[in-house]
Amino acid sequence: MKRSWNTLSQSSNGMYAVQDFERAAYRLVTEQVLYAADRGSKVAYHLVEAHLEDFAAALQPLGIRLQRNAQHRYLVALPAHAEGTPVTLEETLLLLVLRQRYDEAFRQGRIEEHGEVVAELPEVQEAYQALAGRAMPEVGALRQLGRALRRWGVCRLVESEGDDPQPFHLLVRPAIVEIVGEQWLQRLDQHNADDADEGDDAAAEDDDAAA
């Protein structure tokens, strides 16, 4: 049984207000991942970490499981039911490619500080072609996709500096291990099934037109 935010606020001796607990819980639900290394989330991270069982109990009725990764210092809120989250095929493919690049870098010991992996565009392009069987999106579209994926806490887009021939790099974040799993493969299967159905419908319409 979780303690109320008011009780936790009082026990903090004025360090945290009720609103601090409410905001931290809301951020877990909406942002899904809090990293201690991020300037914008480290305060909320430490608050949740110090009251982990209380926040876990508060999220449990919503069907959300709270996990803490002590090694890379992040918290991730994993929804049991995410069917309603709108995800495009392009987002799904890029997420799966970035997960593959993260796993490969992990096996090779190429993990940066805070458990992150730098994904160079040429290797992303090669992996995208191998996994998706199609060309990687153009740089402009890929930039937009990289920015969009920040909402899951799995990727950051880092602009290049100096004479680097790449316009930007994709920094894959460690929570991708928890977030992009079997569920995303199911999403991809569903996208492929939908595409197949659309192809069948189009063929049927052509047959009708020919008749």
Side-chain angles (χ1 to χ4, degrees):
M1 183 78 179
K2 79 177 181 69
R3 293 171 290 179
S4 70
W5 300 143
N6 187 58
T7 298
L8 294 175
S9 174
Q10 291 175 357
S11 66
S12 74
N13 296 320
M15 182 177 296
Y16 298 111
V18 170
Q19 292 88 336
D20 295 322
F21 290 93
E22 293 173 340
R23 292 185 186 116
Y26 182 76
R27 290 189 64 176
L28 281 170
V29 172
T30 57
E31 298 178 27
Q32 196 163 3
V33 185
L34 297 177
Y35 289 97
D38 291 358
R39 183 176 59 182
S41 64
K42 63 182 179 181
V43 173
Y45 171 89
H46 288 298
L47 175 59
V48 177
E49 184 182 46
H51 305 88
L52 194 64
E53 292 185 3
D54 294 289
F55 278 93
L59 297 181
Q60 191 273 332
L62 302 177
I64 297 175
R65 176 167 50 90
L66 182 60
Q67 286 187 193
R68 178 175 72 99
N69 185 298
Q71 180 182 5
H72 299 309
R73 305 192 69 200
Y74 63 84
L75 297 155
V76 57
L78 296 170
H81 311 287
E83 293 86 350
T85 304
V87 186
T88 67
L89 176 59
E90 289 75 17
E91 290 170 339
T92 300
L93 289 173
L94 184 56
L95 282 165
L96 290 170
V97 168
L98 294 181
R99 171 65 197 267
Q100 188 262 359
R101 298 314 308 153
Y102 189 92
D103 291 346
E104 182 66 20
F106 186 85
R107 284 192 294 268
Q108 297 175 0
R110 296 188 291 108
I111 302 295
E112 303 282 322
E113 187 179 10
H114 310 307
E116 296 173 325
V117 166
V118 177
E120 307 288 355
L121 294 192
E123 66 182 27
V124 172
Q125 183 177 32
E126 182 179 351
Y128 199 101
Q129 179 69 44
L131 177 69
R134 64 179 70 185
M136 184 178 72
E138 297 294 331
V139 170
L142 186 64
R143 185 189 296 274
Q144 292 301 113
L145 282 171
R147 288 172 174 165
L149 297 193
R150 290 186 61 185
R151 61 178 159 159
W152 287 295
V154 298
C155 173
R156 282 199 297 124
L157 189 147
V158 181
E159 299 290 347
S160 299
E161 297 180 357
D163 57 355
D164 192 328
Q166 297 182 71
F168 57 86
H169 303 264
L170 293 171
L171 194 65
V172 190
R173 314 204 72 183
I176 196 170
V177 174
E178 282 89 3
I179 293 174
V180 182
E182 183 65 27
Q183 184 182 74
W184 289 92
L185 293 175
Q186 293 171 0
R187 288 176 188 266
L188 181 59
D189 288 341
Q190 184 59 52
H191 279 301
N192 291 337
D194 291 343
D195 288 345
D197 290 342
E198 290 176 3
D200 292 342
D201 290 344
E205 290 177 3
D206 291 342
D207 291 342
D208 291 342

